[in-house]
Amino acid sequence: MSFAPVYSESSRALILGTWPSPKSREMAFYYGHPQNRFWPMMAALTGEPVPAREDIEAKKGLILRHGLALWDTLESCTITGASDASIRDVVPNDIASLLAKAPIEAVFCNGATAHRIYTKYLLPVSGIPAVKLPSTSPANAACRPEKLREVWGAALKDYITVSNL
C-alpha cells in the first residue's frame, strides 16, 4: 500500500511520485532515500531549512505551510527494488477522493514514470493535465541539483505560497 496523501484545505498544487522506494518504505514516508534530492530542493524553493531525514512531521509541515500536497500515483504495484522500469500490476490511487477534499488546481509529476502513470490512469479522473518534472531520484544523477531547483522552481512558482498555517 502507498502512503497516505499529505494535504490540507489550502493545498492548491499536488506533487506526485510513482511508488515509495525501499528506503522510503523503511522510513515510512516519501523520499526517504538519503541521496534523493526532493527534500533539499523543496527546502531551497520554500526558503526553509532542510528537514532531518527522520523528521516526518517537519517534512509534512514544509509541504503544508506552502499550499502543496504530496502523494504517489500508485496505491499498489509489483516492483523490483526501486526500479520504475520494473513496475507492473498497477493499481492507481483514488485521486477523486483527494480532489474532493483539497482545492487542487495543478498537478506536478516527479519524473517520467509518474507522469506516464498519471496520464494513463489519473488524468481521465482528475481532468487536470500534469506537468512532467525531472525526477529527484538519485538514479537521475545526470540532472544536477541546480537544474532541478531551476526547473521545479519555475514550474511551482505560482503555487508555492507563503506560510499559511
Side-chain angles (χ1 to χ4, degrees):
M1 297 296 274
S2 67
F3 303 135
V6 176
Y7 68 94
S8 76
E9 64 282 349
S10 301
S11 299
R12 293 175 47 234
L14 173 62
I15 299 170
L16 288 172
T18 305
W19 174 254
S21 71
K23 288 288 185 190
S24 294
R25 291 192 302 271
E26 185 181 296
M27 293 288 302
F29 200 65
Y30 300 95
Y31 306 107
H33 192 289
Q35 272 74 55
N36 192 297
R37 284 95 41 99
F38 184 82
W39 294 112
M41 180 195 64
M42 290 307 299
L45 296 181
T46 60
E48 295 212 21
V50 179
R53 183 171 177 255
E54 63 283 346
D55 194 343
I56 292 171
E57 290 308 310
K59 291 174 178 178
K60 286 180 182 177
L62 187 151
I63 293 298
L64 296 176
R65 277 190 298 281
H66 297 283
L68 303 172
L70 186 60
W71 206 15
D72 281 320
T73 54
L74 297 176
E75 178 182 318
S76 66
C77 68
T78 301
I79 186 171
T80 303
S83 170
D84 280 358
S86 73
I87 290 174
R88 61 187 200 288
D89 307 321
V90 304
V91 176
N93 264 320
D94 179 9
I95 197 164
S97 69
L98 177 61
L99 295 176
K101 300 172 197 166
I104 302 297
E105 301 169 10
V107 175
F108 300 90
C109 292
N110 189 348
T113 303
H115 187 261
R116 194 166 39 257
I117 292 167
Y118 176 84
T119 301
K120 182 173 183 178
Y121 298 101
L122 303 178
L123 174 60
V125 176
S126 74
I128 304 170
V131 176
K132 178 174 60 174
L133 295 171
S135 175
T136 60
S137 167
N140 185 22
C143 191
R144 299 177 331 281
E146 306 77 40
K147 184 65 172 172
L148 282 174
R149 283 192 301 273
E150 176 187 326
V151 174
W152 279 71
L156 290 168
K157 70 178 173 10
D158 293 334
Y159 295 98
I160 294 177
T161 60
V162 180
S163 180
N164 54 12
L165 292 183

